Amino acid sequence: MKVITDGIDIIIDFLKESNFNEKKFKDYISSPQMKIFLKHEKRLKRDTNKKKIKNELKRVFLNEKYDDDYGFSILKRNIVQLEKDINYIKENEREIFERVCIQVYEYLPKNIEVDPNIIIYLGGFDGGFATFTKDVYVNIGRYIGNLKEFEKLLAHECYHARKIPFKRKVSLFFKMSFYPEKAMYDTLGRILEEGIACLVQHGVNFCNDDPIGTLTSRDMLLSKEYFEILNESLLSIKNENPDYNLICKINLYVLGYIISKTIYKHKGIVVLNEWTINFNYKDPIKTYIDICRDKDISSGFSTEVEEWLYVISK
C-alpha cells in the first residue's frame, strides 16, 4: 500500500490565507485532489462544479461563521489540526497499514490480496470510496483529529478494494446485466458488500457511530423500519416489477451489518467468503435465515419474503 497526498499541501496553503487568493485558488481547483472530488461528485449526480465551489469558498473567506455546502469552512477552522494529521499519516504510513491489515484480515481470507493506493483528498461530506479498484479515496477532512476512525474507514474501503480475479468480475457484470439477477444484486448483493465492509470497520461489537453517519446507534434502533423497506423492495422483484424508488432507499449499512455480523458470530468467515470471493449472495442469505430460525429470532424478513428467499437460495 502507498499513501498519496500529492496536492494536499496546495489545499492547506490556500485555506491558511486570510483572504481569498485567486492564484492559489487556481492551483487548488486544478490539483489532483480537486479533480478526484469533482469526479466523485459527478458520479453521484450532484450539482457540483468549479464555479459553485469558488462562490462557496469566497463566502467562507468573507464570513468565518458561514458553513458552506462542502465542508471547507470546517477545514479552514481546523487547519492546524488538519496539517498535524497529514504529517502524522506521512510519517507513520507503515504502522498505519499494519494496523489496518490486521483489522481487514480478521474478516478476509489470507489469500485475497489487499494492496490499494490510498489517495487522500479534501472536500465534501463523504468519508471515502472504492469499489474493486486499485485505489482507495479517503476524505481526510471528515476525520480531523480522529485518526482512529480514519484507520477504521481505511479498513472498510480496503475490503471494497480487495483484488478479485478478472474472470469473476466478468461473471458478476454478466449476471448483473439480466433480470432478475440484476435486481437481486442491487439489493442483497449490495447489502452484503456494504455489510461485510462495515463488519471489517466496526467489528462485532459496535461501539462508536461512524463520523459520516453511515452506521449509527440510532439507525441500528430503526432496523425494523429498514427491513420493511427491504421487504417491499424484494416483493416487487418477486412480482417481476422491481421498484427502484424503493430499492434506492434501502439502508445497506445497517441491514448489511446486522446480517453479516449474525453470520460471522455463528459461522465465522467461511459463509461470508461466498460473497467476498464468489459474489454468491444466496448461501449467506440462506445461512442467515437458518441461524435466525435455529435461534428463534426474527430475521427481519416478512414470512412471504423469507420463504421465497429460502426457496430461491437452495
Side-chain angles (χ1 to χ4, degrees), residues 33-278:
Q33 276 68 24
M34 182 51 68
K35 289 178 181 178
I36 290 167
F37 171 63
L38 289 171
K39 185 177 180 180
H40 179 58
E41 292 287 295
K42 183 178 180 180
R43 184 176 66 84
L44 295 176
K45 298 180 180 179
R46 292 172 178 164
D47 181 26
T48 300
N49 53 59
K50 293 180 181 180
K51 183 178 180 180
K52 186 173 182 180
I53 289 172
K54 184 175 184 178
N55 290 336
E56 286 293 282
L57 277 167
K58 282 187 172 181
R59 295 183 71 178
V60 168
F61 278 93
L62 286 171
N63 182 359
E64 63 180 21
K65 294 182 179 181
Y66 177 68
D67 291 320
D68 66 289
D69 292 339
Y70 303 105
F72 293 122
S73 57
I74 297 172
L75 301 179
K76 187 165 176 57
R77 291 170 196 150
N78 295 277
I79 198 71
V80 174
Q81 184 62 53
L82 173 61
E83 203 165 14
K84 286 181 181 178
D85 290 346
I86 293 294
N87 289 333
Y88 176 85
I89 292 168
K90 289 178 179 178
E91 294 168 6
N92 297 275
E93 184 177 325
R94 179 174 292 184
E95 291 82 0
I96 290 171
F97 285 152
E98 287 176 355
R99 291 193 293 269
V100 168
C101 283
I102 290 171
Q103 189 169 340
V104 171
Y105 281 110
E106 185 173 348
Y107 305 96
L108 196 69
K110 297 295 188 290
N111 63 321
I112 299 293
E113 188 176 350
V114 175
D115 187 27
N117 293 317
I118 310 298
I119 301 175
I120 305 297
Y121 76 97
L122 287 167
F125 290 99
D126 295 318
F129 56 95
T131 306
F132 309 144
T133 68
K134 174 67 177 173
D135 298 328
V136 164
Y137 300 92
V138 179
N139 180 7
I140 190 63
R142 298 294 280 146
Y143 301 93
I144 297 174
N146 196 358
L147 292 183
K148 183 176 180 179
E149 291 299 324
F150 163 75
E151 290 185 19
K152 288 168 64 177
L153 185 276
L154 273 186
H156 178 116
E157 298 299 345
C158 280
Y159 174 80
H160 289 318
R162 65 195 183 279
K163 286 192 176 180
I164 303 296
F166 180 71
K167 287 184 179 180
R168 289 207 183 105
K169 286 185 180 180
V170 172
S171 175
L172 174 64
F173 293 141
F174 181 78
K175 289 177 182 177
M176 291 182 67
S177 298
F178 301 97
Y179 177 83
E181 285 302 280
K182 181 185 186 306
M184 295 302 282
Y185 276 100
D186 284 340
T187 50
L188 298 178
R190 290 170 65 221
I191 281 173
L192 287 170
E193 179 68 23
E194 290 298 345
I196 299 173
C198 285
L199 182 62
V200 170
Q201 180 179 357
H202 295 281
V204 293
N205 298 312
F206 180 80
C207 298
N208 300 315
D209 289 355
D210 186 275
I212 60 171
T214 53
L215 194 62
T216 66
S217 300
R218 181 181 181 278
D219 278 338
M220 296 286 278
L221 293 174
L222 297 173
S223 62
K224 184 177 179 180
E225 295 178 24
Y226 297 138
F227 265 109
E228 289 175 0
I229 295 172
L230 175 59
N231 284 324
E232 290 181 40
S233 300
L234 290 172
L235 280 175
S236 73
I237 298 171
K238 177 178 180 287
N239 295 328
E240 301 184 359
N241 186 28
D243 186 341
Y244 271 88
N245 287 324
L246 267 177
I247 290 171
C248 290
K249 295 177 182 178
I250 294 172
N251 192 316
L252 307 172
Y253 305 98
V254 171
L255 300 182
Y257 180 72
I258 290 171
I259 291 171
S260 300
K261 182 177 77 169
T262 301
I263 294 171
Y264 179 78
K265 286 179 70 174
H266 295 281
K267 299 292 183 180
I269 69 169
V270 176
V271 177
L272 294 178
N273 286 347
E274 280 299 316
W275 174 259
T276 297
I277 300 171
N278 301 315

